[in-house]
């Protein structure tokens, strides 16, 4: 960890705990800051706050009192999940107080170079693939950021010979100032999180913050399958390296079923372990970074041909009596489900769909559903998916949840079929979160293997 004096004796307010808030508070305290933590959860229910208090860090819990900002803090480090219309954040900005997120702290103390990855879809898979390839090549890559490992903790422990492979969300990127990865990847940009950002322009601006401090000595890897990325390529000081499945580029590209990097043959697209056109894009992004970091083709092929997917993101669950299953519970929107469906033969596919009704229709999904062997419908959106199933003449059942659905549908399947949970809906109508939905699906399929 770099020894910096930036925060010595500065009054810093850490707003919100969870993993990133805990990590930020501890790092700032270690760096000599006068830290106060404010978290909404009451103290007697707040294990994190209790731990920090025992470590000598001041904590205020049970709400977000705006008058706390009268204490003349010099800086706020905000949990990325807390929106900018939160009264505490609004007041801090009115006071011209810098409002940062924890990945900024990670950058400031990191001895290791940072590879930053963001995007609407595919960033977790791409991040994991990059780290996997670098480690398979004998390098030392450490996962960090939005992927579940607090960036500031990883950065404080990393040494100069490590490489930090950091997934960054739009929420995190709104709170950066000096953050500068040596290599950055934007997998794609579509429309999402508008409830947080307000407009698509604001969302894209947050993503674009990834490259704000980069210059020509840094590499920005962009998905040239999207015309908007070609336009963005004209707006950066970084050196742009494109990837594409539609055209030959001066980077990674797929052509006639083969993957190349700068004209060098790497592997067959058919040998990729993860199905779907979107996973070809993810592989191209990962290959671009791996080659820039000197990884061998052997390491690249070893990982890309065996990788079973990130848990809950098109995760291969194996086979049960000849039936294959995939858990893609994190496909909580139409776009993610459409991308998942590109990797399968609909004639042998049973799809679990449905969940929280956010008021939208699913017409955009219809084309991808044509020819499905069967639909398993669940949650608040059953009536909407029922209408599509009847319109497209797809056999369907309506079920209570993923467990009942799997048990009901399994006898109707046959060897060679694939069962896919890719709901196109959030999970909160029935579950605590999407992960819980996926865990139940995994357990139910494991039981069927016996």
């Amino acid at each position: 960890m770099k020894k910096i004096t930036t925060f010595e004796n500065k009054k810093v307010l850490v707003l919100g705990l969870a993993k990133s808030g805990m990590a930020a508070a501890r790092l700032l305290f270690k760096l000599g800051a006068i830290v106060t933590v404010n978290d909404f959860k009451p103290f007697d229910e707040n294990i994190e706050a209790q731990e920090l208090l025992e470590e000598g860090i001041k904590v205020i819990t049970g709400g977000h009192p705006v008058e706390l900002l009268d204490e003349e803090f010099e800086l706020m480090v905000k949990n990325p999940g807390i929106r900018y219309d939160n009264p505490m954040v609004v007041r801090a900005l009115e006071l011209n107080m810098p409002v940062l997120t924890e990945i900024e702290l990670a950058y400031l103390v990191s001895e290791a170079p940072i590879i930053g990855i963001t995007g609407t879809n595919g960033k977790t898979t791409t991040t994991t693939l990059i780290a996997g390839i670098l480690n398979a090549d004998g390098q030392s890559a450490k996962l960090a950021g939005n992927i579940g490992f607090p960036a500031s903790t990883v950065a404080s422990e990393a040494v100069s010979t490590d490489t930090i492979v950091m997934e960054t969300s739009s929420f995190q990127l709104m709170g950066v100032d000096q953050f500068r990865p040596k290599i950055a990847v934007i997998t794609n940009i579509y429309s999402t999180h508008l409830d947080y950002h307000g407009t698509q322009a604001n969302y894209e601006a947050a993503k674009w913050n990834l490259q704000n401090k980069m210059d020509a000595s840094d590499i920005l890897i962009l998905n040239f399958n999207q015309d908007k990325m070609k336009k963005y390529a004209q707006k950066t000081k970084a050196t742009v390296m494109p990837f594409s499945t539609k055209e030959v580029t001066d980077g990674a590209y797929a052509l006639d079923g083969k993957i190349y990097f700068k004209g060098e043959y790497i592997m067959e697209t058919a040998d990729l372990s993860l199905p779907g056109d979107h996973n070809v894009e993810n592989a191209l992004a990962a290959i671009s970074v791996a080659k820039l970091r000197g990884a061998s083709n052997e390491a690249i092929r070893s990982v890309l041909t065996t990788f079973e997917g990130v848990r809950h993101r098109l995760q291969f669950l194996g086979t049960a009596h000849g039936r294959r299953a995939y858990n893609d519970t994190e496909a909580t929107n139409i776009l993610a489900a459409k991308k998942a469906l590109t990797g399968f033969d609909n004639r042998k596919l049973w799809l679990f769909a449905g969940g929280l009704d956010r008021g939208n229709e699913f017409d955009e999904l219809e084309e991808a559903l044509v020819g499905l062997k069967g639909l398993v419908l669940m949650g608040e959106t059953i009536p909407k998916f029922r209408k599509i199933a009847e319109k497209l003449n797809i056999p369907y059942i309506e079920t209570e949840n993923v467990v009942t659905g799997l048990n009901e549908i399994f006898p109707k399947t046959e060897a060679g079929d694939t069962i896919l949970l890719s709901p196109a809906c959030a999970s909160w109508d029935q579950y605590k979160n999407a992960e819980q939905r996926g865990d139940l699906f995994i357990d139910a399929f494991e039981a069927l293997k016996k």
Side-chain angles (χ1 to χ4, degrees):
M1 182 176 78
K2 290 179 182 176
K3 295 181 179 179
I4 62 173
T5 59
T6 310
F7 303 104
E8 277 187 12
N9 298 315
K10 282 193 174 181
K11 292 189 67 175
V12 181
L13 178 64
V14 175
L15 186 66
L17 279 175
K19 288 182 180 179
S20 68
M22 288 282 284
R26 284 173 169 149
L27 177 57
L28 286 162
F29 189 66
K30 187 175 182 179
L31 293 171
I34 303 167
V35 181
T36 298
V37 172
N38 176 221
D39 193 59
F40 192 82
K41 187 187 294 185
F43 185 77
D44 58 354
E45 303 173 12
N46 200 322
I47 295 173
E48 294 95 339
Q50 294 170 25
E51 289 180 6
L52 292 177
L53 184 63
E54 289 180 3
E55 294 168 22
I57 297 174
K58 181 180 178 181
V59 297
I60 296 173
T61 60
H64 292 312
V66 176
E67 59 270 20
L68 179 60
L69 293 171
D70 294 338
E71 295 188 19
E72 298 182 346
F73 291 99
E74 298 174 69
L75 172 70
M76 175 184 285
V77 177
K78 179 185 74 67
N79 182 292
I82 296 175
R83 289 165 40 151
Y84 282 78
D85 58 3
N86 180 285
M88 292 283 283
V89 182
V90 171
R91 181 58 179 155
L93 294 173
E94 288 174 350
L95 294 170
N96 294 316
M97 185 187 302
V99 178
L100 303 176
T101 51
E102 179 245 0
I103 63 171
E104 176 78 2
L105 303 181
Y107 171 75
L108 293 174
V109 302
S110 179
E111 294 180 15
I114 293 173
I115 298 169
I117 300 96
T118 197
T120 302
N121 293 314
K123 56 185 177 292
T124 300
T125 297
T126 301
T127 301
T128 308
L129 287 173
I130 291 169
I133 293 169
L134 296 183
N135 285 323
D137 190 60
Q139 303 182 40
S140 175
K142 297 183 179 297
L143 289 168
N146 195 55
I147 201 165
F149 305 97
S152 58
T153 299
V154 175
S156 65
E157 297 172 352
V159 297
S160 59
T161 53
D162 294 325
T163 299
I164 296 176
V165 187
M166 187 184 298
E167 179 184 332
T168 61
S169 70
S170 60
F171 305 162
Q172 292 170 317
L173 288 168
M174 285 188 74
V176 296
D177 180 30
Q178 298 302 311
F179 185 79
R180 178 185 172 187
K182 291 302 297 176
I183 301 173
V185 179
I186 301 180
T187 57
N188 47 59
I189 295 183
Y190 296 101
S191 180
T192 191
H193 296 312
L194 299 190
D195 55 339
Y196 186 103
H197 293 286
T199 67
Q200 180 68 15
N202 288 343
Y203 170 63
E204 294 190 16
K207 291 290 191 187
W208 195 235
N209 279 349
L210 180 67
Q211 58 75 55
N212 273 357
K213 296 296 181 179
M214 297 174 75
D215 64 23
S217 67
D218 306 314
I219 307 296
L220 175 61
I221 297 167
L222 297 178
N223 184 350
F224 269 30
N225 282 356
Q226 288 192 296
D227 289 338
K228 72 168 59 180
M229 287 293 98
K230 294 181 179 180
K231 294 177 181 177
Y232 271 122
Q234 307 301 316
K235 300 178 181 180
T236 182
K237 294 179 181 178
T239 298
V240 172
M241 175 174 285
F243 67 90
S244 178
T245 62
K246 298 179 180 179
E247 59 185 280
V248 175
T249 72
D250 187 30
Y253 58 92
L255 179 68
D256 297 330
K258 301 179 187 299
I259 292 175
Y260 301 86
F261 180 79
K262 289 183 174 290
E264 176 190 6
Y265 170 76
I266 305 297
M267 63 185 296
E268 302 289 313
T269 56
D271 291 336
L272 294 172
S273 61
L274 297 182
D277 296 342
H278 61 300
N279 277 315
V280 178
E281 295 180 14
N282 295 338
L284 293 176
I287 288 168
S288 300
V289 175
K291 295 294 283 186
L292 287 170
R293 297 295 292 174
S296 68
N297 290 347
E298 289 73 22
I300 290 170
R301 286 191 286 264
S302 173
V303 172
L304 294 182
T305 57
T306 60
F307 185 64
E308 292 186 352
V310 178
R311 188 174 180 86
H312 301 312
R313 290 172 170 86
L314 209 57
Q315 173 193 4
F316 178 52
L317 304 183
T319 61
H321 307 286
R323 286 83 164 164
R324 297 164 62 89
Y326 290 82
N327 164 35
D328 194 32
T329 185
E330 291 284 4
T332 57
N333 57 60
I334 292 171
L335 177 62
K338 283 178 70 174
K339 284 182 173 291
L341 287 163
T342 65
F344 300 97
D345 180 353
N346 280 9
R347 295 170 299 178
K348 298 180 179 180
L349 184 64
W350 300 81
L351 175 68
F352 279 69
L356 181 71
D357 191 343
R358 283 175 157 160
N360 59 288
E361 299 297 327
F362 295 90
D363 298 348
E364 295 175 49
L365 196 57
E366 285 188 16
E367 184 178 354
L369 299 178
V370 171
L372 275 181
K373 192 167 187 179
L375 271 167
V376 183
L377 309 183
M378 56 194 181
E380 293 177 352
T381 53
I382 282 178
K384 294 180 177 180
F385 277 103
R386 180 197 305 131
K387 184 169 65 175
I388 292 174
E390 292 174 349
K391 176 182 177 181
L392 300 179
N393 198 29
I394 300 171
Y396 68 92
I397 66 166
E398 299 177 14
T399 192
E400 183 178 348
N401 55 52
V402 291
V403 177
T404 58
L406 194 52
N407 290 328
E408 289 169 24
I409 201 69
F410 201 78
K412 302 177 185 294
T413 65
E414 55 190 4
D417 284 352
T418 297
I419 302 167
L420 170 65
L421 170 63
S422 192
C425 296
S427 58
W428 301 314
D429 58 331
Q430 292 182 293
Y431 306 96
K432 181 174 66 174
N433 51 40
E435 290 83 358
Q436 184 187 44
R437 178 171 62 187
D439 288 338
L440 290 169
F441 184 75
I442 293 169
D443 292 345
F445 188 72
E446 286 296 317
L448 291 170
K449 291 181 180 181
K450 299 173 182 178

